[in-house]
Amino acid sequence: MIPRDHNKNAVSDTKSLSGGERSYSTVAFLISLWSCVDHPFYFLDEYDVFTDEVNREYMTRLLIDEGRKRPLRQYSFLTPQDMALMSEDFIKILRLGEPERG
C-alpha cells in the first residue's frame, strides 16, 4: 500500500514535503546517524527555521533527549529563533547581542 492517495512521487520525492516536514525528516535522520558514529562534538545549524512552534518544540525536545542520553558528547545548535527552554545543568544558552545599526 502506498500512502498519500496512491501518488508514488509524494512518497519517494522530498519535493512534496513542506519545509517543516523536511526539517523534521532531517533532524530524525541526523539523530539516527549520530547514534552510529562516536564523536565528541555535534553541530546543527538552523534546524528549525521552516517549522511552526509546535513542531519546533517537538524537534528541540528530541535533540535535548539525544543529548541527555549521551552526556559525554557536546551538542551545539545554532538558531535565529528564541530558545525558551527550561534551565537544566547540561544546557547552556548563549545569545548574541542585537546588531548595532547606524
Side-chain angles (χ1 to χ4, degrees):
M1 180 175 167
I2 298 173
R4 293 196 186 208
D5 299 328
H6 307 294
N7 183 352
K8 283 185 175 180
N9 292 332
V11 176
S12 62
D13 191 1
T14 58
K15 292 177 187 170
S16 65
L17 299 175
S18 71
E21 289 172 327
R22 282 188 213 152
S23 296
Y24 179 81
S25 298
T26 301
V27 167
F29 181 65
L30 286 173
I31 288 173
S32 67
L33 284 178
W34 290 346
S35 69
C36 298
V37 295
D38 191 22
H39 293 283
F41 303 105
Y42 296 84
F43 293 91
L44 192 53
D45 184 22
E46 296 188 4
Y47 67 95
D48 59 349
V49 293
F50 297 112
T51 59
D52 61 9
E53 188 62 33
V54 172
N55 288 317
R56 183 174 165 268
E57 183 178 335
Y58 184 72
M59 288 184 342
T60 302
R61 288 286 154 214
L62 285 175
L63 292 167
I64 288 171
D65 289 344
E66 180 68 16
R68 193 176 279 127
K69 287 185 230 172
R70 294 173 173 81
L72 298 178
R73 296 177 178 179
Q74 181 176 342
Y75 296 86
S76 297
F77 308 122
L78 303 176
T79 179
Q81 309 291 335
D82 180 37
M83 293 301 292
L85 297 173
M86 296 184 319
S87 238
E88 297 187 38
D89 290 341
F90 72 97
I91 295 177
K92 303 261 190 266
I93 298 175
L94 306 173
R95 290 188 176 93
L96 293 177
E98 291 293 322
E100 292 182 21
R101 299 190 173 141

